[in-house]
Amino acid sequence: MDTRRKPKVGFVPCLTIVKQGVAKDKLEKIKPTKEEMKQIVKELRLREAEFKNRPNDEQTASQHDDMSEDDIENENAVDDYYDMDNYDDEPVEPAGASYNTDALLLNSGPESEDEESEEEAEEFTVKPDDNIIVTGQVSDDVCLLQVYVLNTERQEFFLFNDTYLPSYPVALEWIDFNPKDSAVNGHFAAVGYMEPEIQVWDLNVKDCLEPAFSLGSKKKKTVRHRDAVMDLSWNLNARNVLASGSADNTVIVWDMNTCTAATRLECFSEKVQSVKWHPIEAQSLLTGCCDGIVKLFDCRTPGTNKSWAFEGEIERIMWNKFDPLHFFASTEKGMVHYVDIRATKPIWNLNAHTSAVGGLALSSYCKDMLVTGSQDETAKVWDLKDDSPSLVTEKQMQIGHIYAISACPDSPYVFAAGGANPNNHLYVWDAREIPGVVTRFNDRLHVVIPENDNSGAVKMEEDVATSSSKALFQFKEKKNPQLKPESTPSTSASSSTAQTSVKDRTKKKKNKKKQ
């Protein structure tokens, strides 16, 4: 027998930082109805019956012909015990342990010793100036959706909630669209898996067992992916729209109002590893593939697109939100390309890393600050001033291969990175620890993102491989009356060289559960 210990597995393949003020201060607890609780009790009793005081039922169907009369009588006893003739009609009431059903239904049981004190409850709440970090995490055979609370000014960082996932998470996107009431902001995470299904989880719910809704479920015979979901992108200008790129060489545009596919783009020869909606134009979708080709679609006419070819697989694509006529594309060869969509060739090509660049993020309030992360285990800060990228600093985060990087929406210098170090695969970096970063960028903060104009319109060229989807996707641009225009937060960047420390705290209640 092989007694060698299996190597520990732990990594964060996807993450995002969520802006302040979107999460509820405390998690909601699901309270089942009386009918649901009755069903739970029935299932518990059935499971108890399978392990206590049951007849010997180890005989298999293949042995039935060789059974003796005693064996057949024993088999009949098993059927009688479980009342198989009426199995679908009547609940099984086994002998043995009993349950206080009234206490369960009325919630009248004694309080647990693990209940949090008022001080603990206050300590683990979300405040209006807190950011949320959402990660998809794999630890050995366990897959989790974890929610952290981050406040660098108060030096706080703690685990707030976690949810077990059914499969390896590959892609993650935060959305505020609530299909039950689109006028009310939600707090959800859409997760793409190694399996074809996309699940959307309510991040305000504690101990969630099921997603709020799913897209492309196998249970329904609808348009869906046939392989892993590689990336997700939420449309800020049409809030009910989500795009997904897949290893099945397709992109699907989903209408979350109906949880169905609105259209499918099939003009790809390889896996679609990255998708990104335009920050201003609701109809414009950018895609990046393993064949090295980036395509720009107008989803009102999905059979046409404009494309750019690069060497190596496309790892990440990202719009320049400060100048939406431009985008970034990173590759497996460590390159980062910067492209004007009106041109056929990149403005510049940067040999940023020695391995695949999976992390790509722009500072939220400085248009010239680009952060890249790579499988060469380094993160780098670049100054893009005057379209001439120059290296500002390099960071060894000690998290192994870097798979994803996200910029904090409310701070120009804070970033989160996910990596593959089993013992340390999440890193929150306040770049103010590097004196040169503050000196270089502090006078360029508070840049105003330009408003939409018609100059961004792109004339699409007919693609040789046309899409087989004939449906034209008509966007339903619903404006949330409760949404207010976001204002640029006041930033007081510290010139201190000391790194902003964080307190990694975990709920006592969760620790006791795991023990």
Side-chain angles (χ1 to χ4, degrees):
M1 183 176 68
D2 189 356
T3 59
R4 290 176 296 180
R5 177 179 295 180
K6 293 182 179 179
K8 187 177 180 181
V9 176
F11 59 96
V12 172
C14 50
L15 58 77
T16 188
I17 306 182
V18 182
K19 63 184 178 181
Q20 299 171 354
V22 300
K24 294 183 179 179
D25 58 345
K26 294 182 180 180
L27 294 171
E28 298 177 359
K29 293 184 179 180
I30 297 296
K31 294 183 178 180
T33 64
K34 288 187 176 182
E35 291 301 320
E36 290 172 336
M37 286 303 302
K38 287 180 180 179
Q39 185 61 35
I40 291 173
V41 171
K42 289 177 182 179
E43 292 179 1
L44 288 173
R45 288 178 171 173
L46 181 58
R47 291 181 183 179
E48 190 74 13
E50 293 176 354
F51 293 97
K52 286 186 178 181
N53 302 322
R54 63 179 180 177
N56 180 15
D57 58 349
E58 295 179 356
Q59 297 291 344
T60 62
S62 61
Q63 298 171 317
H64 186 273
D65 293 339
D66 298 329
M67 282 184 176
S68 64
E69 292 182 2
D70 292 338
D71 292 332
I72 294 174
E73 288 180 4
N74 185 53
E75 185 184 57
N76 293 334
V78 172
D79 291 341
D80 293 340
Y81 178 83
Y82 285 113
D83 194 15
M84 298 304 293
D85 293 336
N86 301 309
Y87 185 80
D88 294 330
D89 302 323
E90 298 292 334
V92 177
E93 300 291 343
S98 62
Y99 296 87
N100 188 344
T101 308
D102 292 336
L104 284 172
L105 297 179
L106 299 177
N107 246 348
S108 59
E111 293 186 1
S112 170
E113 295 180 358
D114 288 340
E115 288 296 323
E116 296 173 334
S117 66
E118 291 184 5
E119 292 182 359
E120 288 176 327
E122 174 65 23
E123 184 180 13
F124 292 101
T125 58
V126 180
K127 298 178 176 59
D129 60 343
D130 287 337
N131 286 107
I132 301 296
I133 300 179
V134 187
T135 70
Q137 180 174 315
V138 178
S139 296
D140 291 326
D141 293 331
V142 178
C143 302
L144 295 168
L145 181 66
Q146 296 198 311
V147 179
Y148 296 86
V149 173
L150 170 68
N151 192 301
T152 55
E153 300 306 319
R154 291 199 304 270
Q155 301 181 12
E156 291 181 346
F157 178 57
F158 59 89
L159 179 65
F160 185 61
N161 191 21
D162 54 15
T163 301
Y164 287 100
L165 298 176
S167 181
Y168 277 30
V170 180
L172 188 152
E173 180 78 324
W174 180 83
I175 60 177
D176 74 10
F177 178 76
N178 186 349
K180 294 181 179 179
D181 188 354
S182 60
V184 177
N185 286 351
H187 180 37
F188 298 92
V191 182
Y193 301 102
M194 292 298 291
E195 301 296 326
E197 187 175 10
I198 301 166
Q199 294 182 332
V200 182
W201 298 84
D202 191 339
L203 300 180
N204 282 324
V205 175
K206 179 181 176 62
D207 299 329
C208 196
L209 298 178
E210 294 183 349
F213 60 96
S214 299
L215 303 171
S217 174
K218 293 181 180 180
K219 298 179 181 179
K220 299 179 181 179
K221 294 183 178 180
T222 58
V223 176
R224 62 181 181 86
H225 288 301
R226 303 293 175 179
D227 207 335
V229 178
M230 308 296 289
D231 198 18
L232 297 167
S233 180
W234 176 47
N235 195 318
L236 296 173
N237 302 288
R239 295 174 53 246
N240 61 306
V241 175
L242 185 75
S244 58
S246 172
D248 66 4
N249 303 357
T250 69
V251 169
I252 293 181
V253 178
W254 302 91
D255 183 353
M256 292 185 289
N257 272 321
T258 59
C259 295
T260 58
T263 191
R264 177 160 57 186
L265 307 176
E266 299 178 316
C267 55
F268 305 99
S269 61
E270 265 290 355
K271 300 178 182 69
V272 183
Q273 291 212 127
S274 190
V275 293
K276 196 65 63 179
W277 287 109
H278 194 277
I280 295 174
E281 298 175 351
Q283 74 278 6
S284 298
L285 178 65
L286 200 65
T287 65
C289 289
C290 288
D291 57 6
I293 296 178
V294 174
K295 294 185 178 184
L296 176 58
F297 292 88
D298 183 332
C299 288
R300 296 170 299 186
T301 55
T304 61
N305 65 76
K306 185 172 183 178
S307 63
W308 297 263
F310 303 99
E311 186 179 352
E313 297 181 3
I314 301 297
E315 293 287 332
R316 285 280 187 272
I317 51 176
M318 177 180 66
W319 288 101
N320 184 347
K321 64 180 181 178
F322 301 101
D323 191 353
L325 292 175
H326 300 77
F327 70 85
F328 301 88
S330 66
T331 73
E332 63 168 340
K333 295 184 178 295
M335 298 293 295
V336 176
H337 307 280
Y338 187 54
V339 181
D340 186 330
I341 60 176
R342 297 163 296 185
T344 57
K345 295 183 179 180
I347 297 174
W348 49 256
N349 304 292
L350 175 64
N351 191 358
H353 293 270
T354 59
S355 189
V357 181
L360 200 61
L362 272 176
S363 167
S364 297
Y365 294 101
C366 182
K367 69 175 182 178
D368 298 326
M369 184 178 178
L370 176 70
V371 177
T372 59
S374 170
Q375 291 188 23
D376 65 10
E377 303 187 9
T378 64
K380 296 181 180 181
V381 177
W382 304 89
D383 186 351
L384 308 181
K385 188 176 181 180
D386 299 326
D387 287 333
S388 180
S390 59
L391 180 64
V392 177
T393 189
E394 181 176 330
K395 177 73 174 179
Q396 294 282 347
M397 294 182 173
Q398 308 299 324
I399 59 173
H401 295 175
I402 298 175
Y403 293 135
I405 288 181
S406 180
C408 179
D410 302 292
S411 174
Y413 297 118
V414 176
F415 300 84
N421 184 338
N423 300 311
N424 179 30
H425 35 254
L426 176 62
Y427 195 96
V428 178
W429 183 30
D430 189 336
R432 288 176 291 183
E433 69 172 83
I434 309 295
V437 171
V438 176
T439 303
R440 179 75 72 100
F441 297 108
N442 215 34
D443 61 347
R444 286 183 261 168
L445 301 181
H446 311 296
V447 176
V448 178
I449 300 175
E451 295 295 331
N452 189 17
D453 56 42
N454 293 328
S455 63
V458 180
K459 183 179 180 180
M460 300 296 180
E461 298 175 355
E462 191 74 30
D463 193 284
V464 176
T466 58
S467 170
S468 64
S469 174
K470 297 181 180 180
L472 299 183
F473 182 53
Q474 301 297 328
F475 286 87
K476 301 177 183 179
E477 298 188 32
K478 296 185 178 181
K479 300 297 182 182
N480 189 342
Q482 296 186 2
L483 289 179
K484 298 179 180 179
E486 292 185 27
S487 58
T488 304
S490 58
T491 306
S492 56
S494 171
S495 60
S496 171
T497 61
Q499 180 178 2
T500 304
S501 62
V502 293
K503 298 176 182 178
D504 189 359
R505 299 175 293 172
T506 306
K507 293 184 179 181
K508 296 179 181 179
K509 191 172 181 180
K510 288 186 176 293
N511 282 337
K512 289 181 180 180
K513 279 186 178 181
K514 293 178 181 178
Q515 290 174 357

